[in-house]
Amino acid sequence: MSAKKMADQQASHEHTHVENTSGTAQRARLLERLQIGPIDTFTAIRELNIVRPGARINELRDMGHRIMTERLTLTDDQGRTHRGMALYYLSTNPPTEVTA
């Protein structure tokens, strides 16, 4: 097993509460969430406490994870429309239906 995978296992979601803002903890939370299904930028920020989800996605890709991106128009919590927002998913777990 590679050192990177071992590090990910050590930083599993069980040990990385949303208060833990280390990059390792954020990657672990995000990867676990991606294994459940697609996640958009706003949800990653709000639910996983990841301020820069795109940066964590790039790090996960650099580690060998096949993460795909779709661009959507989403509405934020204040009712503002944002075009070109990211929806991330593992290539083995594509979205079945996109709701914005």
Side-chain angles (χ1 to χ4, degrees):
M1 186 176 291
S2 73
K4 288 182 181 179
K5 287 190 178 190
M6 289 173 60
D8 277 350
Q9 290 173 353
Q10 292 169 358
S12 76
H13 72 284
E14 296 164 0
H15 301 39
T16 60
H17 304 287
V18 294
E19 294 82 20
N20 186 339
T21 58
S22 72
T24 301
Q26 290 179 44
R27 285 189 298 277
R29 288 194 300 270
L30 187 53
L31 183 58
E32 179 189 352
R33 178 57 178 76
L34 286 166
Q35 291 169 343
I36 294 169
I39 188 168
D40 63 71
T41 301
F42 290 146
T43 303
I45 293 168
R46 184 177 54 249
E47 294 180 8
L48 302 179
N49 192 26
I50 299 173
V51 177
R52 295 184 56 223
R56 301 296 83 81
I57 290 292
N58 284 335
E59 292 164 356
L60 288 169
R61 285 176 176 151
D62 289 346
M63 295 169 74
H65 297 283
R66 296 205 50 198
I67 301 170
M68 310 305 287
T69 303
E70 285 188 28
R71 295 295 173 178
L72 307 172
T73 298
L74 299 175
T75 303
D76 66 19
D77 294 338
Q78 290 76 39
R80 297 174 293 218
T81 301
H82 299 265
R83 289 174 179 73
M85 298 301 296
L87 176 73
Y88 301 108
Y89 61 94
L90 293 172
S91 64
T92 57
N93 196 8
T96 54
E97 182 178 318
V98 176
T99 57

